[in-house]
Amino acid sequence: MTMPQTYFHASLDFDAFIADVRDTCMLQTHHQAYHTLRAVLHTFRDHLTTEQALAFAGVLPAVTRAIFVEDWQPSDLMPDPFPDRATLIREVQSVRRDHNLAPDSAIENVASALRRSSVDERELDRILATFPDAAAAYWKT
């Protein structure tokens, strides 16, 4: 069996994706883009059940998937429901506050970059359609 392309090209794909996040968010460095991406992913994850998080992770490219599950402590408890957009933005901006320069548009910016990356948009939308409306709305552009 050959190595799946998602792993073979993981580094190249992620480099292009993180550059897109940087440019879309109008950030200066890849480091700033990484912290913004991580904050957007972890904020989303915090409002999902374990089953939902694993389904979402399954559609992400390899490196993005690794960031999504980084430091995750799954729980059988029901997560807090998705709050309004302003609260979500504050949650994103509070992740690693000293290293986080996420703009107010970070969620939409990352959603746009993710949809332009190597993610299968049809599969992403199929998975999101099984989630609560607020979860699907998180990734609307």
Side-chain angles (χ1 to χ4, degrees), residues 95-112:
V95 175
R96 296 196 67 198
R97 183 173 300 282
D98 293 339
H99 301 279
N100 188 330
L101 297 173
D104 290 346
S105 59
I107 297 170
E108 291 86 358
N109 296 157
V110 170
S112 294

Side-chain angles (χ1 to χ4, degrees), residues 5-6 9-10 12-14 16-17 59-64 113-121:
Q5 292 297 316
T6 189
H9 293 289
L12 293 173
D13 291 345
F14 184 70
F17 174 54
V59 301
L60 296 175
V63 178
T64 306
L114 181 68
R115 289 180 175 281
R116 287 190 297 266
S117 75
S118 58
V119 71
D120 180 338
E121 273 196 273

Side-chain angles (χ1 to χ4, degrees), residues 44 47-48 52 56 81-83 85 88 127-140:
F44 181 67
H47 296 284
L48 300 177
Q52 291 167 334
F56 181 76
F82 280 84
R85 193 60 151 202
L88 287 167
I127 292 296
L128 291 174
T130 68
F131 291 5
D133 291 343
Y138 193 90
W139 296 103
K140 294 291 183 204

Side-chain angles (χ1 to χ4, degrees), residues 8-63:
F8 188 74
H9 293 289
S11 183
L12 293 173
D13 291 345
F14 184 70
D15 286 347
F17 174 54
I18 203 69
D20 191 11
V21 170
R22 180 199 64 213
D23 295 345
T24 304
C25 290
M26 294 190 286
L27 297 168
Q28 298 298 310
T29 70
H30 283 76
H31 297 287
Q32 294 168 346
Y34 164 78
H35 287 293
T36 298
L37 170 64
R38 184 178 181 275
V40 168
L41 291 172
H42 288 194
T43 297
F44 181 67
R45 184 188 73 197
D46 288 346
H47 296 284
L48 300 177
T49 64
T50 300
E51 183 178 316
Q52 291 167 334
L54 290 172
F56 181 76
V59 301
L60 296 175
V63 178

Side-chain angles (χ1 to χ4, degrees), residues 77-98:
L77 300 175
M78 283 303 294
D80 291 335
F82 280 84
D84 62 86
R85 193 60 151 202
T87 302
L88 287 167
I89 292 165
R90 284 193 303 276
E91 287 181 22
V92 165
Q93 292 172 332
S94 72
V95 175
R96 296 196 67 198
R97 183 173 300 282
D98 293 339

